[in-house]
Amino acid sequence: MNRLIILALIVCSSMMATACKGSKSEASNAVSEQPQQAVNLAEVPFLKAMGLDVSKVAIGTEYDTKIFATDAGQGKEVRLTDKQVKQLLGGAPLIDLGEGSAPFVVGAKVFADNVMLVFWHEVGDGHELILATYNVEKGDLRDISTTPSWEFTQEWDGENIEGQTQTYDHCRATFNTDGFVLHRKNGRNLGGKSVWSQERDYNFAITADGIIKLNKIDVKPLKGKQAGEYYEPTPEVESIYDVNYYSYNDMEALATLDNLASTYFNRENTKEPVMTMVMNFMRGRTQQLLQYIAVHKPAALIEALHECITKEWTDKGVLYDAIQEMPDASAKKYLNELTAQWGPEGAVG
């Protein structure tokens, strides 16, 4: 479509503009009215070169919840060899392939020039869904996002079901032609009855460049009442943890975290959740975080990072080494000067 528009503009600038403009416009309209051709996932070039057929886990154009509504190992999944896992996810940010069992594919969908693969990765008390986009032709990894899902039951009174409390954080997804929605529900049950629950919908679009773009979060009112003796994140804390749902290459994540830090860092009950999110960036997106701080100089984010170093949530040497690796000389100079006095006694810098 873009090539037709560009060609039309070139022709319009020629001496035969009047004669050609109508024909190009008609051609453009004809193309726009044609439905998008379905892509056979078995013929995606880079997957075919890997000997990988994911067509049996194809996600339809209509909303589809099946692949997330069933447990792993029910037959509708594509197992991967060690070589294929390495080709698809080796070195991918936000993924620790040394933890849990090997990921396998439970969903696949083509979005224009990109294909999304959805991986199921058993880890800890549950699993994570790994959503990754690749260039259809070459297989270059474009973007990646992870979504945890877990369930934990604590027996407070032996085998008596009335004394059991169950906390959970479940996530499933539905897809459309332009993106998908992650439907998340977390809460606590006691004796088989709900004590509290919270539902959140994360609305994503897939851009032309394959970026997994979080456009909107729909939050339903909290049902029930939370208790202080359990780990039960308040709505304010949940809004901070929402930053986890931004993809690796969605730069809006840092602006959002900056705004949240400005609101919540100096409140006693939300200080540590902000620090937790800063540490998440220090583990998975260090250079992005440091560059953002160097360019925007956000007071609250700087203060939160300083607190992480002071309380030794991370070693000052780790921060120092990351700063030295920055390609932006001016950013490196600013951060070296900013952090020179940070940290406990004897810290680097």
Side-chain angles (χ1 to χ4, degrees), residues 11 24 61 63 77 80 88 93 95 110 122 145-146 166 173 248 250 267 276 282 304 320 327 341 344:
V11 172
K24 291 297 177 182
T61 55
Y63 278 91
E77 73 270 350
L80 305 171
L88 292 169
I95 304 299
V110 174
E122 299 286 347
S145 181
T146 63
Q166 178 192 67
Y248 183 81
D250 187 349
R267 300 182 187 180
T276 297
M282 280 297 294
Y320 179 81
Q341 305 305 314

Side-chain angles (χ1 to χ4, degrees), residues 153-173:
T153 300
Q154 175 66 52
E155 297 179 7
W156 290 104
D157 187 20
E159 297 297 326
N160 182 2
I161 188 65
E162 294 181 1
Q164 289 183 345
T165 182
Q166 178 192 67
T167 60
Y168 61 89
D169 195 339
H170 294 162
C171 201
R172 63 182 180 85

Side-chain angles (χ1 to χ4, degrees), residues 51 67 73-74 92 149 151 184 198 208 262 290 295 331:
I67 61 173
Q74 296 300 306
S149 189
E151 186 172 296
R184 179 184 171 213
Q198 173 76 73
S262 298
L290 295 178
V295 172

Side-chain angles (χ1 to χ4, degrees), residues 282 286 290 309 314-323 325 348:
M282 280 297 294
T286 309
L290 295 178
I309 298 297
T314 186
D315 185 72
K316 172 65 183 293
V318 172
L319 175 62
Y320 179 81
D321 291 343
I323 293 173
E325 295 174 1
V348 178

